[in-house]
Amino acid sequence: MTIKVVRGNPTPEELAAALAVVRARAAAAAVAPSGAEAPRDAWSDPARIAGQRLPQPGQASWTRTYWPS
């Protein structure tokens, strides 16, 4: 692995900190199985509201909330 500083003049301590982060990320990626998918939060799952119909715009649409209750 080659790391090249393209801008600035980092101190040896800053280079060591950046290299430690890069090596830790590489080690974590090597340990994790490649076929495993990260679990999704239920909050960000689009299927949570996909079965419900959202209100359509119209003359009185400002009186309704956007998300169904």
Side-chain angles (χ1 to χ4, degrees):
M1 175 188 304
T2 302
I3 297 178
K4 179 180 177 182
V5 177
V6 294
R7 199 176 275 174
N9 191 14
T11 64
E13 293 83 12
E14 291 171 336
L15 283 175
L19 184 59
V21 170
V22 170
R23 291 186 70 180
R25 292 287 304 232
V31 171
S34 61
E37 187 175 317
R40 293 182 64 169
D41 288 338
W43 179 257
S44 64
D45 188 10
R48 182 173 60 91
I49 61 168
Q52 301 172 359
R53 187 162 185 230
L54 297 176
Q56 298 299 315
Q59 290 181 341
S61 63
W62 63 272
T63 62
R64 297 182 302 235
T65 60
Y66 180 74
W67 296 106
S69 53

